[in-house]
């Protein structure tokens, strides 16, 4: 049973990090009890870097709650809620368990997983750990992104139910491992781009690699 642990949204704001440095980012989200989810994302949510984030294929960011315990043990540091800038911190939906194209109902809304997340160093700055992004990439514990198939209200206690498992069953972890660690595996990349629900951005990235290899 998948369960929402943290439900968070937030508009871009100035974040201080390091020794008096600052940047505008949407990674610092705050807890909410309810928000409307449209095709563009949650009401009250926003992004600063529109070139690398956002869009209909990446309207919702999910991060598995189970990873928090591992990171806190590994780095000896307590992480804040929504530490990775995710909207939904969810237990019971690990990258190795969910597949690109899987469809879930969350409250009144229906979402579909489209791709693994490609983390950036804003995460390192947010949590104050210089190797956080590196470890996310190494493990494939990046979280993932979703498009919205049906709009509706979502609450912090909304149930999450699987509506439809995608027939190809290409897991997010498989996609992550291929993208980050197996960049010349033609068969794996062809398997991923065959998934009709794949985010356009990821399709283009894999297709570009395949064209070079061919």
């Amino acid at each position: 049973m998948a369960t929402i642990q943290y439900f968070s949204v937030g508009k871009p704001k100035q974040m201080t990090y390091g020794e008096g440095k600052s940047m505008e980012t949407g990674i610092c989200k705050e807890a909410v009890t309810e928000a409307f989810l449209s095709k563009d994302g949650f009401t009250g949510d926003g992004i600063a870097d529109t070139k690398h984030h956002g869009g209909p294929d990446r309207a919702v960011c999910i991060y598995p709650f189970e990873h928090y315990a591992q990171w806190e043990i590994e780095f000896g540091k307590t992480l804040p809620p929504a530490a990775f800038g995710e909207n939904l911190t969810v237990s019971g939906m690990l990258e190795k368990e969910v597949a690109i194209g899987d469809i879930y109902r969350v409250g009144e809304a229906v979402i579909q997983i489209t791709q693994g997340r490609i983390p950036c160093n804003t995460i390192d700055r947010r949590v104050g750990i210089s190797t956080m992004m590196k470890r996310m990439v190494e493990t494939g514990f990046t979280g993932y992104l979703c498009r919205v198939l049906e709009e509706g209200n979502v609450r912090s206690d909304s149930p999450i139910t699987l509506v439809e498992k995608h027939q190809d069953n290409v897991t997010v972890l498989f996609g992550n491992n291929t993208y980050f660690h197996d960049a010349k595996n033609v068969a794996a990349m062809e398997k991923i781009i065959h998934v009709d629900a794949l985010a356009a951005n990821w399709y283009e990235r894999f297709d570009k690699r395949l064209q070079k290899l061919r």
Side-chain angles (χ1 to χ4, degrees):
M1 176 69 74
T3 306
I4 297 174
Q5 300 294 331
Y6 308 135
F7 180 22
S8 314
V9 302
K11 294 287 189 182
K13 64 188 75 171
Q14 288 296 124
M15 177 184 73
T16 58
Y17 66 95
E19 297 180 1
K21 298 178 182 179
S22 68
M23 64 179 291
E24 186 180 32
T25 173
I27 200 170
C28 300
K29 302 193 183 301
E30 298 177 358
V32 292
T33 56
E34 184 174 0
F36 183 78
L37 179 56
S38 74
K39 301 278 179 139
D40 296 321
F42 285 104
T43 300
D45 202 42
I47 54 174
D49 181 2
T50 55
K51 181 179 179 181
H52 298 105
H53 303 285
D57 286 345
R58 302 180 285 189
V60 178
C61 182
I62 295 177
Y63 197 78
F65 178 69
E66 290 86 347
H67 300 329
Y68 275 72
Q70 174 177 331
W71 298 137
E72 289 180 352
I73 291 170
E74 181 172 331
F75 294 109
K77 184 173 185 176
T78 301
L79 296 172
F84 307 98
E86 70 271 22
N87 301 118
L88 300 173
T89 313
V90 176
S91 59
M93 291 177 64
L94 294 169
E95 291 90 348
K96 67 180 181 180
E97 299 166 343
V98 301
I100 297 165
D102 285 356
I103 298 172
Y104 290 86
R105 180 173 291 280
V106 186
E108 297 176 354
V110 177
I111 62 176
Q112 182 178 45
I113 297 171
T114 59
Q115 66 167 89
R117 180 183 184 180
I118 300 175
C120 63
N121 61 9
T122 303
I123 292 172
D124 293 349
R125 297 168 179 174
R126 158 75 165 139
V127 299
I129 300 171
S130 62
T131 56
M132 187 76 256
M133 182 188 77
K134 177 175 179 286
R135 290 292 293 130
M136 291 172 75
V137 168
E138 287 175 349
T139 57
F141 297 168
T142 63
Y144 40 92
L145 303 168
C146 309
R147 66 171 59 92
V148 178
L149 301 182
E150 293 181 20
E151 300 179 339
N153 285 314
V154 177
R155 292 183 51 81
S156 57
D157 59 354
S158 288
I160 302 177
T161 55
L162 178 65
V163 175
E164 182 180 330
K165 188 77 179 171
H166 196 277
Q167 60 185 9
D168 294 342
N169 197 31
V170 175
T171 67
V172 170
L173 188 61
F174 180 86
N176 283 346
N177 287 339
T178 302
Y179 184 83
F180 294 117
H181 310 299
D182 206 5
K184 295 185 178 181
N185 190 328
V186 172
M189 287 188 284
E190 287 181 338
K191 183 177 181 180
I192 294 166
I193 67 170
H194 178 74
V195 180
D196 54 9
L198 184 69
N201 178 265
W202 253 35
Y203 181 93
E204 291 165 5
R205 288 170 182 263
F206 282 118
D207 187 56
K208 188 174 182 179
R209 287 184 185 180
L210 284 168
Q211 289 183 35
K212 286 183 177 180
L213 289 170
R214 288 168 180 154

